[in-house]
Amino acid sequence: MASVPEDPVLERYFKGHKAAVTSVDFSPNGKQLATASWDTFLMLWSVKPQARAFRYVGHKDVVTSVQFSPLGNLLASASRDRTVRLWIPDKRGKSSEFKAHTAPVRSVDFSADGQFLATASEDKSIKVWNMYRQRFLYSLYRHTHWVRCAKFSPDGRLIVSCSEDKTIKIWDTTNKQCVNNFSDILGFANFVDFNPNGTCIASAGSDHTVKIWDIRVNKLLQHYQVHSGGVNCVSFHPSGNYLITASSDGTLKILDLLEGRLIYTLQGHTGPVFTVSFSKGGELFASGGADAQVLLWRTNFDELNCKDIIKRNLKRLHFDSPPHLVDIYPRTPHLHEGKIETVEINPKLEVIDLQSSTPPVVDVLSFDSTTTTETTVRTLPDKGEEVCGYFLNPSLMTSECSPTTLKKKTEDMNDLPSESQRSIPLAVTDALEHIMEQLNVLTQTVSILEQRLTLTEDKLKDCLENQQKLFSALHQKS
């Protein structure tokens, strides 16, 4: 069935990453797109055609997740190098580094008010950070295997997490307790997120399924089996009426949650699709995958004001209110009532004059910094000096990562400090790195002590309760 003008269309390809794209996120104003990749870089693209892109260098291993802060003034990234970084999304690209996880970090997520950041790791923990003071706050431990994803609810009161232990857990951010638990016998969730009004969660399953759960009554509302490969990511349209899914079967699919059916299958990537995300207003979405390409799509869905959405979502529905389909998915004018069959869109066949965007790329490099100290930024080394040795995991090196490939136009780099102007000597950098390692050990020790203290408090509480019961029993006898 041929696509019609009101169907979603592929607008642009962005080419610049050297390896698989793992995560995409739009800035709040919809003018920029951040992407993360196996090539260890973050990239910042302008949605406006012909504008230059920025490549941020600093992580030493695969970058697994990237997200803009709600104000758009920060970018958070997670990596297999066990660190989380905060970047200023401009040509200076200054960054600060958080070290507390003891294994690869899989996801980052800002709370809607921008005050907190949640990080999920293969060390089986979720950690929450204060963004104003840029310091570690607390850990959530209950998962028994790698945690793949953790997301705040729209009002910030809850966190949902998914793990390879085949559970999805809901956490209360006030008392730091696990308040809900969903188990899946067949597979584990690769990704999980709240719907825009915070009453439901969607999970992307390794068993090829997509599930929608109502968290108020612990009920599975919808179960989709539309992919032939593992589902790696999902993204809700801001209206809550549509869900887009990305799968290892090489396709994106759009689900109509009001009617409970598949409405679009989108083909454009070669190989598995790892990530997808709607823009904050819902007029665009972007996807990335193993083909190292970022695809920018335009939707035909309702365009919504980002501020109005946030304001509405902060008014959380009460837990005791009975669930209702109209309540969970607020109805808006629907564009697909006349369509019965799924529409398949293959841009490679149907889009002839597609704009492929390979903009000039400015490299922004930074040395490792302390947990909250900004790093010094430098340009690419001159005279073809290989940058790969500084930052890349040798096992990820490809023939494309050569001095000639990485050397950029000098006019793009004039406003950045050169290697000779770097203000921190290497000896000082090494000393700071050593101090950071010691601080890292201390942070991990504090984290373990925090766990033990919590267990001790629980035991003490039980002892006091038992003592009170014994005292009451003796009092009654006497």
Side-chain angles (χ1 to χ4, degrees), residues 97-100 368-373 424-445:
E97 189 177 63
F98 293 171
K99 288 184 176 181
D368 291 342
S369 68
T370 59
T371 305
T372 57
T373 306
I424 302 178
L426 284 174
V428 177
T429 307
D430 292 340
L432 286 172
E433 179 66 23
H434 178 70
I435 292 167
M436 267 311 303
E437 290 300 325
Q438 298 301 314
L439 285 172
N440 190 24
V441 172
L442 282 172
T443 308
Q444 292 166 27
T445 306

Side-chain angles (χ1 to χ4, degrees), residues 219-237:
K219 184 181 178 183
L220 179 63
L221 288 181
Q222 295 180 341
H223 183 190
Y224 297 92
Q225 292 179 300
V226 292
H227 284 291
S228 58
V231 186
N232 299 312
C233 190
V234 297
S235 180
F236 279 100
H237 184 266

Side-chain angles (χ1 to χ4, degrees), residues 96-130:
S96 51
E97 189 177 63
F98 293 171
K99 288 184 176 181
H101 285 292
T102 58
V105 189
R106 298 299 292 259
S107 84
V108 288
D109 187 59
F110 283 99
S111 58
D113 59 10
Q115 291 188 46
F116 305 102
L117 182 75
T119 59
S121 169
E122 291 179 13
D123 64 11
K124 306 177 188 176
S125 78
I126 299 115
K127 294 188 186 298
V128 177
W129 308 77
N130 181 304

Side-chain angles (χ1 to χ4, degrees), residues 141-193:
Y141 291 97
R142 281 285 292 276
H143 283 295
T144 58
H145 210 307
W146 295 351
V147 187
R148 297 186 71 94
C149 180
K151 295 277 187 179
F152 281 102
S153 61
D155 63 4
R157 296 183 194 177
L158 301 173
I159 290 174
V160 62
S161 63
C162 61
S163 165
E164 293 192 16
D165 63 12
K166 298 187 176 181
T167 67
I168 294 169
K169 296 185 187 296
I170 310 286
W171 309 81
D172 187 322
T173 57
T174 306
N175 61 22
K176 326 287 190 294
Q177 297 297 311
C178 178
V179 294
N180 217 333
N181 195 73
F182 301 97
S183 294
D184 201 328
I185 300 166
L186 295 176
F188 57 84
N190 287 310
F191 188 92
V192 68
D193 201 4

